[in-house]
Each structure stands twice: as structure tokens, then as C-alpha cells.
Amino acid sequence: MNLKNSLLNVTIAVFCLLAMGGWLLAAEPVNAGDASNASKTSDANNPGYDQQGLWPEDVKKTAYYAQKWEPARLLVWARTEDYTGSLKDPANWLENGKPAQKEPDDNSDLVFPDAPKQLLVAGGTGDWQTWETLKMRHLTIGRNIKLRLRNIIPSGNVWVKENVTWNVISIYWEGDKDTFARNDSKRIMLKIPHVRKIDKASVETVGPWGNADGLYVDSGTMILGTDSSWWAGDRHQNTVCSNGTLILMSGSTLQIWRNKDRALDLDIYGVFQAGTADRPLTRDANFPLCFKSRGRLEWKGETFGDARDVGLLLRAKGTMAVYSSDPTKARLVFSLWRDEKTGKNPKMADGKVQVQLLGKTELNGVLFDDFDLGGIELADLGVRDTWKNIQYGKNNAGKPDELYKKVAGKIRSEQDGYK
């Protein structure tokens, strides 16, 4: 072995040690507690659940905490300069401390180490249609990484560290394992995220996430974790499909990122819950609904909006339920969408909201506020007799009985929407 090759091997070894030991400096998470004591070895594969202040208070009750993982390939990004090209090229990766011999696959744990300043990692050149799709098991994106990909398909945990710039069209959460999706940066906006878990497997969010177009819970379970937030898109309907479940946990918020004047905030063919039987709400879970035009607003001189538009539509075969430790204080809260900076809805000062509940409802601990007269449309008015601990805010358009009406006229069919 000549001197040049010896120096090269030493350089690779040193870089690997730095990558493995230094790419996970403590990040300052959002809605996940104080991470000042976070271990430098914490990542999607080694989460450090027992570190005080690093995870939500109920982490030991989560499904992802109990999930067991077999060893997999560990690939660490080996470049320290901006890069545009194929992320599938093995030459870009170190595998278990040595130059990788084959490309990342769905049995790989991928790590992009922390960078001292913003570092571009771009999979594919040209416009977004030519960008790459990357599969993996666990994924850790270190601080200051600017990641660009078309699609990410993780079957394991995802941890986005502080100050990450995310330019990814879609993420597909797949597999049969219970996983987390943690974001320590500012709100991450995906274009079209899909949950495609097998059977009852789940992905649970930590921190602020969102989507620009439609969110689709195609199958399995999506959980908005304790104190996390999801800012949903205003261009396409956000949908819980017939084999999907969406759950809001204590302190979580599901909200459209700007007022959605028409179409549905959330279309439910499957299951929509607040809390679970094993993890009932201990604090409110929030779902501010958008004001709908319904022909009352104008765009380019013409009125727009369908009279059937509502904030939440529970389809006839769908289910909505609330599990609370104290349904008088820990509730599922429906209210009017308000701008996070101004505290107001910019569309109409006296705007009110509506929901349409055609499916099965098991409600024990709900607050309805900012609702229109007849804004709670039911297939059967008698279902109210089965509900418990229903409260009404001060901003409703009328008395409680005036907020209900039986669904009449043309309603959306089961085929009128994405399933």
C-alpha cells in the first residue's frame, strides 16, 4: 500500500469517526421539550427515549417506543461540500465506517451528518420531475442540511434536526412497524404526504409538520403526537381513506395553513379520533375549521363555493370518537380558523363553521365553538342522545339546539371524493 492510499484510508476513517460521533449535536426541538441535554448520539436509530426533556412526557406509552428493530445497514453521507447528482451512488456513502459498495435500499438506515453551515444535498438535476426517489428504513437529517428529493419512502423512523431546509415533493410512510416522524426545525411543508402503513401500524409525529396540497391517510394509522402540530394544505382535500385512521393526541393541533374558502378541510371515510383507549386525552386536542364561501365570496368578480362545503365531513361508513381522561376538561375542540399572528380570520369578521356527520359518532368530551346556525348537520338528530359532555363556546351563532339540523337535500356521495 503506497503513502497516498494510506493517507486516503486514514482520512476516510477519521471522517467516519467524526460523522458517527459528531453529526447529531443537540437540536432545539419544537413542541418536544427542552433538548439541551440531548445526547450527541441520538438519532432516528438511537432515539434516546430516556433522556430527560428530549421527548414528550407520554413517550413511554407510545407505540414507537415499544417497537423493536433488527440491525440494518448504516449509511452515513460522506460528502462535506454541496452536491447535486445521484444520492443512490455508493461512492457518496460510508457503510459501517467503510466506503459503501452498493446503493441505499429499504434495509438501510441513512444519516446526513450535521454541517457547520448550510449544505446542499440534491438528488437529481433539472426540474422536480427528474428528482430522485429514495427508499430507506430510518432516516436522520442533520443540522443545516438542505435536502432536495422528489420522494422519500421510509419504513422506519424519521428525525429532521434543527435548521434543515426541506425541498421534498412527497413522503410515503410505509411498512408494518410503529414509527415516529420528528421535526426539530421550523414547520416542514410537504407537497403530498401519504401514510401507507400495513394493518394497524402507525406513524406518530413529533414537532410541526404540514402539507401544501393533500394529506392522504391511505392505510394504517397516523397520530399527531402530544403537543405536535400538522398544518394541512388548502388546495386539495385532506383525506382519511377507508382503511386509514387519524388520531389527535393531547395538546396537538390539526389546522389548515391558511383559510380554505372552498372544498373540505378533512374528508373521513375511515376513522378520526381524539385520544385512544390506552392514551386518553389529558388536555384539549384542537381542530380549527375554515370559513367556507358557499357562494358568499367573490373571485375575479364572480361568487364561488359549493353549498355542500363544510370543514369536516364524516362519510356514512366513517367513525369519529373521543377518548378522554376527563371529558369536561380534555376535549376535542372545534372552532374557527384564525391566523396565528393576528388571531383573526381574514375572510369574514362574523364567519362561522360547519361540519357534516353522516357516520358513527362516539363523542364524550367535545367543544363546539364558532358554529353557524344549523352548522352541525347530522344524518340522525337522535344521535345527540348518545353523546356525553358536549360543550358550546361563546362564539356560536345561536343556542345549542339551533346549531343542529338534519342533513337535507343533495349530499356528497361516497364516490364524490378520494377514497
Side-chain angles (χ1 to χ4, degrees), residues 84-88 122-133 148-151 169:
T84 299
S86 177
L87 272 60
K88 297 179 181 180
T125 59
D127 63 30
W128 67 270
Q129 293 179 330
T130 66
W131 297 352
E132 285 187 320
T133 292
R148 192 182 78 188
L149 283 165
R150 179 167 182 172
N151 301 315
I169 301 299

Side-chain angles (χ1 to χ4, degrees), residues 158-187:
V158 175
W159 193 337
V160 180
K161 295 287 183 167
E162 188 180 17
N163 200 34
V164 167
T165 301
W166 181 282
N167 193 0
V168 177
I169 301 299
S170 295
I171 188 167
Y172 296 82
W173 283 289
E174 296 187 348
D176 60 356
K177 300 289 194 297
D178 295 307
T179 62
F180 66 75
R182 173 169 177 156
N183 173 35
D184 294 343
S185 292
K186 295 180 179 179
R187 187 189 317 163

Side-chain angles (χ1 to χ4, degrees), residues 15-156:
F15 179 84
C16 179
L17 289 172
L18 290 173
M20 296 299 292
W23 44 260
L24 290 171
L25 298 175
E28 182 180 350
V30 180
N31 296 328
D34 180 8
S36 59
N37 295 321
S39 168
K40 293 181 180 181
T41 60
S42 296
D43 65 6
N45 193 32
N46 302 287
Y49 292 132
D50 295 329
Q51 295 181 59
Q52 186 175 3
L54 184 59
W55 290 92
E57 58 190 5
D58 62 344
V59 65
K60 292 186 178 180
K61 296 181 180 179
T62 65
Y64 63 79
Y65 177 87
Q67 184 64 61
K68 304 300 181 183
W69 298 94
E70 297 296 326
R73 300 174 63 203
L74 176 62
L75 300 182
V76 179
W77 186 249
R79 290 183 174 271
T80 58
E81 71 283 352
D82 288 348
Y83 174 79
T84 299
S86 177
L87 272 60
K88 297 179 181 180
D89 185 348
N92 293 321
W93 298 92
L94 296 174
E95 180 170 354
N96 297 325
K98 300 178 180 180
Q101 300 300 309
K102 62 178 182 177
E103 69 181 46
D105 56 27
D106 54 10
N107 191 42
S108 302
D109 295 338
L110 305 188
V111 175
F112 294 93
D114 283 357
K117 61 181 181 179
Q118 190 173 74
L119 177 68
L120 174 65
V121 180
T125 59
D127 63 30
W128 67 270
Q129 293 179 330
T130 66
W131 297 352
E132 285 187 320
T133 292
L134 201 60
K135 289 187 175 182
M136 72 287 294
R137 191 179 74 166
H138 300 322
L139 172 64
T140 302
I141 306 174
R143 299 172 66 186
N144 298 321
I145 299 298
K146 184 177 182 180
L147 184 66
R148 192 182 78 188
L149 283 165
R150 179 167 182 172
N151 301 315
I152 289 177
I153 307 178
S155 60

Side-chain angles (χ1 to χ4, degrees), residues 1 6 20 187 250 400-401:
M1 181 180 294
S6 297
M20 296 299 292
R187 187 189 317 163
S250 301
D401 287 346

Side-chain angles (χ1 to χ4, degrees), residues 177-412:
K177 300 289 194 297
D178 295 307
T179 62
F180 66 75
R182 173 169 177 156
N183 173 35
D184 294 343
S185 292
K186 295 180 179 179
R187 187 189 317 163
I188 290 292
M189 293 297 285
L190 299 153
K191 189 173 177 65
I192 309 174
H194 287 262
V195 177
R196 292 180 174 175
K197 290 288 187 176
I198 298 173
D199 296 328
K200 298 297 183 181
S202 64
V203 56
E204 180 162 344
T205 63
V206 180
W209 290 83
N211 59 282
D213 287 351
L215 164 67
Y216 300 104
V217 185
D218 298 310
S219 60
T221 303
M222 178 179 184
I223 304 171
L224 303 194
T226 300
D227 294 324
S228 69
S229 59
W230 189 280
W231 297 79
D234 71 324
R235 295 197 292 179
H236 295 245
Q237 289 182 189
N238 303 288
T239 304
V240 181
C241 303
S242 54
N243 292 321
T245 298
L246 175 61
I247 302 175
L248 276 59
M249 299 307 297
S250 301
S252 67
T253 299
L254 172 62
Q255 180 168 331
I256 309 301
W257 69 275
R258 64 181 179 185
N259 191 80
K260 189 172 186 176
D261 304 339
R262 54 182 165 180
L264 309 173
D265 295 2
L266 185 64
D267 194 1
I268 306 165
Y269 293 89
V271 178
F272 177 63
Q273 287 180 201
T276 68
D278 296 332
R279 293 171 64 194
L281 296 180
T282 57
R283 288 175 283 118
D284 287 345
N286 302 287
F287 189 1
L289 303 171
C290 293
F291 164 78
K292 303 300 178 183
S293 172
R294 294 183 146 190
R296 293 175 287 189
L297 296 179
E298 290 188 358
W299 186 65
K300 293 186 177 180
E302 296 183 1
T303 58
F304 68 90
D306 191 320
R308 300 174 299 170
D309 292 340
V310 293
L312 177 149
L313 171 58
L314 179 67
R315 301 278 182 165
K317 295 182 180 180
T319 299
M320 186 167 77
V322 178
Y323 298 88
S324 175
S325 61
D326 183 349
T328 65
K329 297 178 180 179
R331 309 155 298 180
L332 172 59
V333 178
F334 293 108
S335 59
L336 175 66
W337 184 100
R338 290 177 173 84
D339 183 270
E340 58 185 318
K341 294 181 179 179
T342 67
K344 299 179 180 179
N345 186 298
K347 295 299 178 179
M348 189 173 286
D350 60 347
K352 301 300 178 184
V353 298
Q354 305 86 21
V355 297
Q356 193 172 83
L357 307 180
L358 308 179
K360 182 179 180 181
T361 52
E362 299 176 348
L363 306 186
N364 185 8
V366 177
L367 171 64
F368 293 111
D369 200 7
D370 299 299
F371 272 76
D372 204 352
L373 296 174
I376 307 172
E377 303 180 45
L378 303 175
D380 176 13
L381 291 176
V383 74
R384 287 181 60 192
D385 296 335
T386 68
W387 296 353
K388 300 177 182 178
N389 295 296
I390 306 301
Q391 301 176 25
Y392 302 91
K394 63 181 181 179
N395 299 309
N396 290 312
K399 297 178 180 179
D401 287 346
E402 297 175 318
L403 306 180
Y404 293 88
K405 73 175 182 181
K406 183 177 175 61
V407 175
K410 184 179 180 181
I411 62 174
R412 294 176 185 268

